[in-house]
Coordinates of all heavy atoms in Angstrom, one line a residue:
V232 N 60.6 91.9 -78.2 CA 61.9 92.6 -78.6 C 61.7 93.4 -79.9 O 62.2 94.5 -80.0 CB 63.0 91.5 -78.7 CG1 64.2 92.0 -79.5 CG2 63.4 90.9 -77.4
Y233 N 61.0 92.8 -80.8 CA 60.8 93.5 -82.1 C 60.0 94.8 -81.9 O 60.4 95.8 -82.5 CB 60.0 92.5 -83.0 CG 59.5 93.1 -84.3 CD1 60.3 93.4 -85.4 CD2 58.2 93.4 -84.5 CE1 59.9 94.0 -86.6 CE2 57.6 93.8 -85.7 CZ 58.6 94.2 -86.7 OH 58.1 94.7 -87.9
N234 N 58.9 94.7 -81.1 CA 58.1 95.9 -80.9 C 58.9 97.0 -80.1 O 58.7 98.2 -80.3 CB 56.8 95.6 -80.1 CG 55.9 94.7 -81.0 OD1 55.8 95.0 -82.3 ND2 55.1 93.8 -80.4
D235 N 59.7 96.6 -79.1 CA 60.5 97.5 -78.4 C 61.5 98.2 -79.3 O 61.8 99.4 -79.1 CB 61.2 96.7 -77.2 CG 60.3 96.4 -76.1 OD1 59.1 96.9 -76.0 OD2 60.7 95.5 -75.2
A236 N 62.1 97.4 -80.2 CA 63.0 98.1 -81.1 C 62.4 99.1 -82.0 O 62.9 100.1 -82.3 CB 63.8 97.0 -81.9
L237 N 61.2 98.8 -82.5 CA 60.4 99.7 -83.3 C 60.1 101.0 -82.7 O 60.1 102.1 -83.2 CB 59.1 99.0 -83.8 CG 59.2 98.0 -85.0 CD1 57.9 97.4 -85.2 CD2 59.8 98.6 -86.2
S238 N 60.0 100.9 -81.3 CA 59.6 102.1 -80.6 C 60.9 102.8 -80.0 O 60.8 103.8 -79.3 CB 58.7 101.8 -79.4 OG 59.3 100.9 -78.5
G239 N 62.1 102.2 -80.3 CA 63.3 102.9 -79.9 C 63.7 102.5 -78.4 O 64.7 103.1 -78.0
R240 N 63.1 101.6 -77.8 CA 63.4 101.3 -76.4 C 64.6 100.2 -76.4 O 65.1 100.0 -75.2 CB 62.2 100.7 -75.7 CG 61.1 101.7 -75.5 CD 60.1 101.2 -74.5 NE 59.4 100.0 -75.0 CZ 58.3 100.1 -75.7 NH1 57.7 101.2 -76.0 NH2 57.7 98.9 -76.2
S241 N 64.9 99.6 -77.5 CA 66.0 98.6 -77.5 C 66.7 98.6 -78.8 O 66.2 99.3 -79.8 CB 65.5 97.2 -77.0 OG 64.6 96.8 -78.0
K242 N 67.7 97.8 -79.0 CA 68.4 97.6 -80.2 C 68.2 96.2 -80.7 O 68.6 95.2 -79.9 CB 69.9 97.9 -80.1 CG 70.2 99.4 -79.7 CD 71.6 99.7 -79.7 CE 72.4 98.9 -78.7 NZ 73.9 99.2 -78.8
C243 N 67.9 96.0 -81.9 CA 67.6 94.7 -82.4 C 68.1 94.5 -83.9 O 67.9 95.4 -84.7 CB 66.1 94.3 -82.4 SG 65.7 92.7 -83.0
L244 N 68.8 93.5 -84.1 CA 69.3 93.1 -85.5 C 68.5 91.9 -86.1 O 68.4 90.9 -85.3 CB 70.8 92.8 -85.4 CG 71.8 93.8 -85.0 CD1 73.2 93.2 -84.9 CD2 71.8 95.0 -86.0
I245 N 68.1 92.1 -87.3 CA 67.5 91.0 -88.0 C 68.4 90.6 -89.2 O 68.7 91.4 -90.0 CB 66.1 91.3 -88.5 CG1 65.2 91.7 -87.4 CG2 65.5 90.2 -89.3 CD1 63.7 92.1 -87.8
L246 N 69.0 89.4 -89.1 CA 69.9 89.0 -90.2 C 69.1 88.5 -91.4 O 68.6 87.4 -91.4 CB 70.8 87.9 -89.6 CG 71.8 87.2 -90.6 CD1 72.7 88.3 -91.1 CD2 72.6 86.1 -90.0
F247 N 68.9 89.4 -92.3 CA 68.2 89.1 -93.5 C 68.6 90.1 -94.7 O 68.5 91.4 -94.4 CB 66.7 89.1 -93.4 CG 65.9 88.5 -94.4 CD1 65.9 87.1 -94.5 CD2 65.2 89.2 -95.3 CE1 65.1 86.5 -95.5 CE2 64.5 88.5 -96.4 CZ 64.5 87.2 -96.4
P248 N 68.9 89.7 -95.8 CA 69.4 90.6 -96.9 C 68.3 91.4 -97.6 O 68.1 91.1 -98.8 CB 70.2 89.7 -97.8 CG 69.5 88.3 -97.7 CD 69.0 88.3 -96.3
T249 N 67.6 92.3 -97.0 CA 66.7 93.1 -97.6 C 67.4 94.2 -98.3 O 68.6 94.5 -98.2 CB 65.7 93.7 -96.6 OG1 66.4 94.4 -95.6 CG2 64.9 92.5 -96.0
D250 N 66.6 95.1 -99.1 CA 67.2 96.2 -99.9 C 67.8 97.2 -98.9 O 68.8 97.9 -99.2 CB 66.1 96.8 -100.7 CG 65.7 95.9 -101.9 OD1 66.4 95.0 -102.2 OD2 64.6 96.1 -102.4
D251 N 67.2 97.4 -97.7 CA 67.7 98.3 -96.7 C 68.7 97.8 -95.7 O 69.1 98.5 -94.8 CB 66.6 99.0 -96.0 CG 65.8 98.0 -95.1 OD1 65.9 96.8 -95.3 OD2 65.0 98.5 -94.3
A252 N 69.1 96.5 -95.9 CA 70.0 95.9 -95.0 C 71.4 96.5 -95.1 O 71.9 96.9 -96.2 CB 70.1 94.4 -95.2
K253 N 72.1 96.6 -94.0 CA 73.4 97.2 -93.9 C 74.4 96.3 -93.1 O 73.9 95.4 -92.4 CB 73.4 98.6 -93.2 CG 72.5 99.6 -93.8 CD 72.4 100.9 -93.1 CE 71.4 101.9 -93.7 NZ 71.3 103.2 -92.9
T254 N 75.6 96.5 -93.3 CA 76.6 95.8 -92.5 C 76.6 96.2 -91.1 O 76.1 97.4 -90.8 CB 78.1 95.9 -93.1 OG1 78.4 97.3 -93.0 CG2 78.1 95.4 -94.5
F255 N 77.2 95.5 -90.2 CA 77.1 95.8 -88.8 C 77.9 97.1 -88.5 O 77.5 98.0 -87.6 CB 77.6 94.7 -87.9 CG 77.5 95.0 -86.4 CD1 76.3 95.0 -85.7 CD2 78.7 95.3 -85.7 CE1 76.3 95.3 -84.4 CE2 78.6 95.6 -84.4 CZ 77.5 95.6 -83.7
D256 N 79.0 97.2 -89.2 CA 79.8 98.4 -89.0 C 79.0 99.7 -89.3 O 79.1 100.7 -88.6 CB 81.1 98.4 -89.8 CG 82.1 97.4 -89.3 OD1 82.0 97.1 -88.0 OD2 83.0 97.0 -90.0
D257 N 78.3 99.6 -90.4 CA 77.5 100.8 -90.8 C 76.4 101.1 -89.8 O 76.1 102.3 -89.5 CB 76.9 100.6 -92.2 CG 77.9 100.6 -93.3 OD1 79.1 101.1 -93.1 OD2 77.7 100.0 -94.4
I258 N 75.8 100.1 -89.3 CA 74.7 100.2 -88.3 C 75.3 100.8 -87.0 O 74.7 101.7 -86.4 CB 74.0 98.8 -88.1 CG1 73.3 98.4 -89.3 CG2 73.1 99.0 -86.9 CD1 72.7 97.0 -89.2
E259 N 76.4 100.3 -86.5 CA 77.0 100.8 -85.3 C 77.3 102.3 -85.5 O 77.1 103.1 -84.5 CB 78.3 100.0 -85.1 CG 78.1 98.8 -84.3 CD 78.0 99.0 -82.8 OE1 76.8 99.3 -82.4 OE2 78.9 98.7 -82.1
E260 N 77.8 102.7 -86.6 CA 78.2 104.1 -86.8 C 76.9 104.9 -86.8 O 76.8 106.0 -86.2 CB 78.9 104.3 -88.2 CG 79.3 105.7 -88.5 CD 80.1 105.8 -89.7 OE1 80.4 104.7 -90.4 OE2 80.4 106.9 -90.2
E261 N 75.8 104.4 -87.5 CA 74.6 105.1 -87.5 C 73.9 105.3 -86.1 O 73.4 106.4 -85.7 CB 73.6 104.4 -88.5 CG 72.3 105.1 -88.6 CD 71.3 104.2 -89.5 OE1 71.8 103.9 -90.6 OE2 70.2 104.0 -89.2
V262 N 73.9 104.2 -85.4 CA 73.4 104.2 -84.0 C 74.2 105.1 -83.1 O 73.6 105.9 -82.3 CB 73.4 102.7 -83.5 CG1 73.0 102.8 -82.0 CG2 72.4 101.9 -84.2
G263 N 75.5 105.1 -83.3 CA 76.3 106.0 -82.4 C 76.1 107.4 -82.7 O 76.0 108.2 -81.7
S264 N 75.9 107.8 -83.9 CA 75.6 109.1 -84.3 C 74.2 109.6 -83.8 O 74.1 110.7 -83.2 CB 75.6 109.3 -85.8 OG 77.0 109.0 -86.3
S265 N 73.2 108.8 -83.9 CA 71.9 109.1 -83.5 C 71.8 109.3 -82.0 O 71.1 110.2 -81.5 CB 70.8 108.1 -84.0 OG 71.1 106.8 -83.4
V266 N 72.5 108.4 -81.2 CA 72.5 108.5 -79.8 C 73.2 109.8 -79.4 O 72.8 110.5 -78.4 CB 73.2 107.3 -79.2 CG1 73.4 107.5 -77.7 CG2 72.3 106.0 -79.4
A267 N 74.3 110.1 -80.0 CA 75.1 111.3 -79.7 C 74.2 112.5 -79.9 O 74.2 113.5 -79.2 CB 76.4 111.4 -80.4
D268 N 73.5 112.6 -81.0 CA 72.6 113.7 -81.4 C 71.5 113.9 -80.4 O 71.2 115.0 -80.1 CB 72.1 113.6 -82.8 CG 73.2 113.6 -83.9 OD1 74.3 114.2 -83.5 OD2 73.0 113.1 -85.0
S269 N 70.9 112.8 -80.0 CA 69.7 112.9 -79.1 C 70.1 113.1 -77.6 O 69.3 113.4 -76.8 CB 68.9 111.6 -79.2 OG 69.6 110.5 -78.8
G270 N 71.4 112.7 -77.3 CA 71.8 112.8 -75.9 C 71.2 111.6 -75.1 O 71.5 111.6 -73.9
G271 N 70.5 110.6 -75.7 CA 70.0 109.5 -75.0 C 70.9 108.4 -75.0 O 72.1 108.4 -75.4
D272 N 70.4 107.2 -74.5 CA 71.2 106.1 -74.5 C 70.4 104.8 -74.6 O 69.4 104.7 -73.8 CB 72.0 106.0 -73.2 CG 73.0 104.8 -73.2 OD1 73.4 104.3 -74.2 OD2 73.4 104.4 -72.1
L273 N 70.6 104.0 -75.6 CA 69.9 102.8 -75.7 C 70.4 101.7 -74.8 O 71.5 101.9 -74.2 CB 69.9 102.2 -77.2 CG 69.2 103.1 -78.2 CD1 69.4 102.6 -79.7 CD2 67.7 103.2 -77.9
Q274 N 69.7 100.5 -74.7 CA 70.2 99.5 -73.9 C 71.6 99.0 -74.3 O 71.9 99.1 -75.5 CB 69.2 98.3 -74.0 CG 69.2 97.6 -75.3 CD 68.4 96.3 -75.3 OE1 67.4 96.3 -74.6 NE2 68.7 95.4 -76.1
T275 N 72.3 98.5 -73.4 CA 73.6 97.9 -73.7 C 73.5 96.6 -74.4 O 72.7 95.8 -73.9 CB 74.5 97.8 -72.5 OG1 74.6 99.0 -71.8 CG2 75.8 97.2 -72.8
G276 N 74.2 96.4 -75.5 CA 74.1 95.1 -76.2 C 72.9 95.1 -77.2 O 72.0 95.9 -77.2
W277 N 72.9 94.0 -78.0 CA 71.9 93.8 -79.0 C 71.2 92.5 -78.9 O 71.7 91.5 -78.3 CB 72.7 93.7 -80.4 CG 73.3 95.0 -80.9 CD1 74.6 95.4 -80.5 CD2 72.8 95.9 -81.7 NE1 74.8 96.6 -81.1 CE2 73.8 96.9 -81.9 CE3 71.6 96.1 -82.4 CZ2 73.6 98.1 -82.8 CZ3 71.4 97.2 -83.2 CH2 72.4 98.2 -83.4
D278 N 69.9 92.6 -79.3 CA 69.1 91.4 -79.5 C 69.2 91.1 -81.0 O 69.1 91.9 -81.8 CB 67.6 91.6 -79.1 CG 67.5 91.8 -77.6 OD1 68.0 90.9 -76.8 OD2 66.8 92.8 -77.1

Side-chain angles (χ1 to χ4, degrees):
V232 163
Y233 172 70
N234 292 326
D235 287 344
L237 283 175
S238 61
R240 293 192 297 270
S241 66
K242 299 187 298 182
C243 178
L244 296 173
I245 300 178
L246 179 58
F247 197 76
T249 56
D250 293 337
D251 64 343
K253 303 176 182 178
T254 63
F255 181 74
D256 286 342
D257 292 338
I258 293 174
E259 276 278 78
E260 183 178 352
E261 179 182 314
V262 170
S264 300
S265 62
V266 171
D268 293 340
S269 63
D272 186 21
L273 292 174
Q274 69 174 29
T275 303
W277 292 84
D278 290 310

